[in-house]
Amino acid sequence: QVQLVESGGGLVQAGGSLRLSCAASGRTFSSYDMTWYRQAPGKEREFVAGISWSGGTTAYADSVKGRFTISRDNAKNTVYLQMNSLKPEDPAIYYCNARHSSPNPGPDYWGQGTQVTVSS
């Protein structure tokens, strides 16, 4: 069982920055691949960025590539999303997801989300 708690959302002007955090409970955080998703009103949840259990592999949606950076600190059981150059199309609820890195990963775990709002 993994519990995820996101934080760091808020209101920022276009062009500004925010850093989201996702703190995970449990002793096996380092065995989980972690992913950030977002969901804007009236839209489906979409992939934003992912990082492998070791931090050695990252992936980004084209819409955020070059602006967002995902990282993790396994000693702190936390994954981060540094968001720079925020745009009016970035506002959404941002969710953290954990999936075990084994071939049979079991269920996904989700946080409750954190709201990001960008003013133009």
Side-chain angles (χ1 to χ4, degrees):
Q1 191 84 11
V2 177
Q3 291 185 325
L4 305 172
V5 179
E6 301 97 333
S7 61
L11 172 64
V12 64
Q13 284 191 325
S17 298
L18 282 174
R19 188 174 83 153
L20 305 183
S21 298
C22 173
S25 65
R27 297 175 296 173
T28 59
F29 174 74
S30 59
S31 298
Y32 286 80
D33 298 327
M34 302 297 296
T35 307
W36 286 97
Y37 289 82
R38 67 186 181 186
Q39 187 167 19
K43 295 187 177 181
E44 293 187 353
R45 191 171 297 189
E46 64 175 1
F47 167 81
V48 176
I51 188 166
S52 62
W53 61 273
S54 65
T57 301
T58 58
Y60 297 92
D62 287 344
S63 59
V64 307
K65 205 170 290 184
R67 300 188 297 123
F68 291 10
T69 302
I70 189 170
S71 62
R72 67 189 297 160
D73 185 337
N74 285 344
K76 295 182 178 180
N77 283 12
T78 302
V79 62
Y80 305 98
L81 185 68
Q82 178 67 45
M83 306 187 296
N84 298 329
S85 303
L86 282 160
K87 299 180 178 181
E89 57 264 36
D90 291 322
I93 299 175
Y94 282 70
Y95 297 92
C96 180
N97 168 277
R99 176 176 294 180
H100 200 276
S101 58
S102 68
N104 297 301
D108 281 13
Y109 297 97
W110 294 90
Q112 83 290 347
T114 186
Q115 178 75 53
V116 171
T117 304
V118 179
S119 64
S120 56

